[in-house]
Amino acid sequence: MGITIGPIFTTLIVYNQLTKPMRHQQTMFTSIPIFRALTILKCSNHHHTTTTTTAYMAATPATTVCSAASPSIQDHVATRAATISLQEWQAWGTDSPMPTQVAQIVEEMVDLERQSDAQMKFGGLGGKLKGDFKTQEDKKHRAKYKALDDSEQKLHFFSARQIACRLLGSRGYLCQKCWLPQEDCMCSRVVTSNLWHRIRFWLYMHPKDFLRQNNTGKLLWQVFGISAAKLCLFGIAEHEEIMWNAFSHSGRNNVWCLYPNKNTPTKSVEDSFAGCTSNNLLSEPHQTDEGETFNFILIDGTWSNSAAMFRRLKERADLIWGDDLPCISLSTGASAMHKLRPQPSWDRTCTAGAAVGLLDELHLVSQFNSLGLDKQAEAVENSVDVLLASLTGRRLRMGRSITRRQRHHDDFC
């Protein structure tokens, strides 16, 4: 039965046309809001738990990567240095250089703390700045933002400040691989896989989704690695240049965005790859030029943020190619994530779910069915199971509900 259903938004927006269920529909997951309190758990080797306040003091940080044997956070005081090193930056899931403006804002925040009597503290939803330091920093950054000349400068500053705050607020608290609190680290349970060498995912992520515990886009580089799944932060100039340089090299015909747009024609996966032949697809990795890479953009942001993100992509595509950005529609159905977070409609899924849908549908195209894309899709789907279990377990342990009020309406477009 063919029906047209609207856009998908939680950590990704993606278009559905049919209600075909996914392989394990019960495993699909959308973001469960995980609210970071001003306290964190301090666990000793005897697992005795006490509650302590999160504060930040200058020290040299170590890369925070957990393993099955790693203990929970050992100190109630999170460590912070005056700068973010390249090693620390890349440990969060990227191989890009440290963004210049992010580094500058980190240094400015540290200098402000030294000049004031207030201590830098983070907590609450999204790990935001708290207390007297927040008041002082707000005045400073709002004045700087207001003084900027144009919208592009304002976007760069906004994005860089969001990233800087998240880097400082998550240091010593989140695992750098899975973005979960260290006591809930799921890294040891994620099974990696090799993505077919001609596919590259680009996670075009809004700064407010960076380091979110319930983000599912991070699963793609956890499973496939940071070369196969690239992080590109919206409004971070260095990231966007890296992404568009790659697109320019590959050419418009090898770039697709998974996004529904009423004003831009979308094609199904089958129609988009109808011209490919098996002989063209079976080259060995060392024989494949970067220009032959299939680039898929996954917009990783909320409903309210995604329109601006897509508009920015379209404007850049028009500037480079003088044409619209090609868009792909998927035919995945509703997922069980609606049990955990209210959605505007039943057809929306998460970033990882969209990647699963794309790989599954590519596998059904005859030219692609010998490439093992179904197994690669299953690896991502299994990682969603692991994330769901970790977040659910954390909520239950903290006495929070794992079911959410429904927001489904029949009048979705």
Side-chain angles (χ1 to χ4, degrees):
M1 179 178 67
I3 64 173
T4 301
I5 50 185
I8 297 171
F9 289 98
T10 292
T11 52
L12 166 77
I13 304 86
V14 67
Y15 190 60
N16 297 322
Q17 289 182 316
L18 303 176
T19 55
K20 181 195 76 173
M22 303 205 51
R23 182 191 299 105
H24 297 298
Q25 181 169 314
Q26 70 274 13
T27 67
M28 292 311 303
F29 168 67
T30 188
S31 305
I32 304 172
I34 302 296
F35 302 97
R36 181 176 177 186
L38 285 173
T39 59
I40 58 176
L41 297 178
K42 178 183 179 184
C43 302
S44 71
N45 292 332
H46 300 289
H47 305 287
H48 176 67
T49 302
T50 58
T51 302
T52 54
T53 303
T54 306
Y56 295 82
M57 299 180 64
T60 302
T63 300
T64 310
V65 180
C66 303
S67 66
S70 296
S72 298
I73 299 176
Q74 295 297 314
D75 289 309
H76 66 281
V77 179
T79 58
R80 176 175 51 76
T83 60
I84 303 291
S85 69
L86 178 62
Q87 179 185 8
E88 182 183 357
W89 164 250
Q90 293 184 342
W92 291 109
T94 180
D95 57 3
S96 75
M98 177 69 187
T100 302
Q101 197 165 10
V102 173
Q104 179 183 345
I105 292 174
V106 168
E107 293 176 4
E108 289 174 353
M109 292 176 68
V110 172
D111 288 341
L112 179 62
E113 185 184 34
R114 287 171 178 164
Q115 297 166 13
S116 69
D117 296 329
Q119 195 172 43
M120 196 187 304
K121 296 182 180 180
F122 297 84
L125 179 61
K128 296 178 180 178
L129 280 170
K130 295 291 181 181
D132 293 339
F133 182 86
K134 176 185 183 299
T135 304
Q136 297 180 38
E137 198 276 338
D138 271 351
K139 291 180 180 178
K140 183 175 180 179
H141 95 255
R142 289 178 188 277
K144 184 172 182 178
Y145 181 87
K146 187 176 180 180
L148 295 173
D149 294 332
D150 58 40
S151 59
E152 188 72 7
Q153 290 178 335
K154 290 178 184 289
L155 172 62
H156 289 163
F157 178 75
F158 163 80
S159 297
R161 182 182 173 277
Q162 290 287 330
I163 299 302
C165 287
R166 281 162 171 73
L167 289 170
L168 291 172
S170 301
R171 189 184 252 173
Y173 174 65
L174 298 183
C175 169
Q176 290 186 276
K177 295 295 184 183
C178 65
W179 298 2
L180 296 184
Q182 294 181 35
E183 64 267 28
D184 299 298
C185 176
M186 55 177 266
C187 294
S188 63
R189 290 173 285 154
V190 174
V191 179
T192 60
S193 175
N194 291 322
L195 184 63
W196 179 52
H197 64 276
R198 288 194 54 185
I199 288 180
R200 180 171 294 154
F201 289 115
W202 292 88
L203 281 298
Y204 193 44
M205 186 178 294
H206 195 275
K208 289 188 175 181
D209 282 89
F210 180 62
L211 302 189
R212 281 186 62 177
Q213 298 171 34
N214 52 16
N215 179 281
T216 64
K218 64 190 177 188
L219 296 174
L220 295 182
W221 63 73
Q222 275 198 279
V223 173
F224 297 131
I226 59 174
S227 295
K230 309 284 283 187
L231 173 64
C232 177
L233 289 162
F234 172 70
I236 299 298
E238 293 93 333
H239 273 207
E240 292 182 329
E241 285 305 310
I242 289 171
M243 181 174 74
W244 281 103
N245 286 340
F247 293 169
S248 296
H249 187 62
S250 292
R252 179 179 178 274
N253 292 334
N254 285 333
V255 179
W256 297 268
C257 182
L258 277 71
Y259 187 85
N261 182 33
K262 295 178 180 179
N263 300 318
T264 301
T266 61
K267 290 184 177 181
S268 67
V269 171
E270 184 176 9
D271 290 340
S272 297
F273 293 92
C276 290
T277 63
S278 298
N279 290 337
N280 292 336
L281 299 176
L282 296 178
S283 62
E284 294 297 322
H286 66 275
Q287 298 174 335
T288 302
D289 184 82
E290 283 291 317
E292 299 175 333
T293 300
F294 297 149
N295 299 276
F296 296 100
I297 308 169
L298 306 179
I299 297 181
D300 202 344
T302 63
W303 173 276
S304 58
N305 292 328
S306 63
M309 297 171 73
F310 182 61
R311 183 167 59 249
R312 187 169 176 83
L313 289 170
K314 283 189 62 180
E315 290 172 353
R316 189 65 178 266
D318 184 65
L319 180 65
I320 293 175
W321 297 313
D323 206 344
D324 278 331
L325 183 67
C327 293
I328 282 184
S329 61
L330 298 179
S331 55
T332 54
S335 73
M337 67 184 181
H338 294 277
K339 299 175 184 178
L340 300 170
R341 177 171 179 168
Q343 294 293 320
S345 66
W346 285 98
D347 57 299
R348 298 176 183 177
T349 192
C350 59
T351 309
V356 170
L358 175 66
L359 293 172
D360 271 337
E361 292 191 35
L362 280 172
H363 176 69
L364 296 177
V365 177
S366 59
Q367 302 94 305
F368 290 84
N369 60 18
S370 64
L371 303 175
L373 298 180
D374 56 331
K375 300 299 183 184
Q376 295 157 38
E378 187 173 6
V380 178
E381 204 167 16
N382 290 341
S383 73
V384 176
D385 280 340
V386 174
L387 178 60
L388 173 57
S390 297
L391 293 175
T392 301
R394 177 175 177 80
R395 291 188 66 85
L396 290 173
R397 190 178 71 251
M398 300 179 72
R400 296 173 178 169
S401 173
I402 60 171
T403 59
R404 303 301 303 279
R405 176 177 59 86
Q406 298 294 329
R407 262 191 337 199
H408 173 58
H409 304 289
D410 294 329
D411 57 349
F412 60 87
C413 59

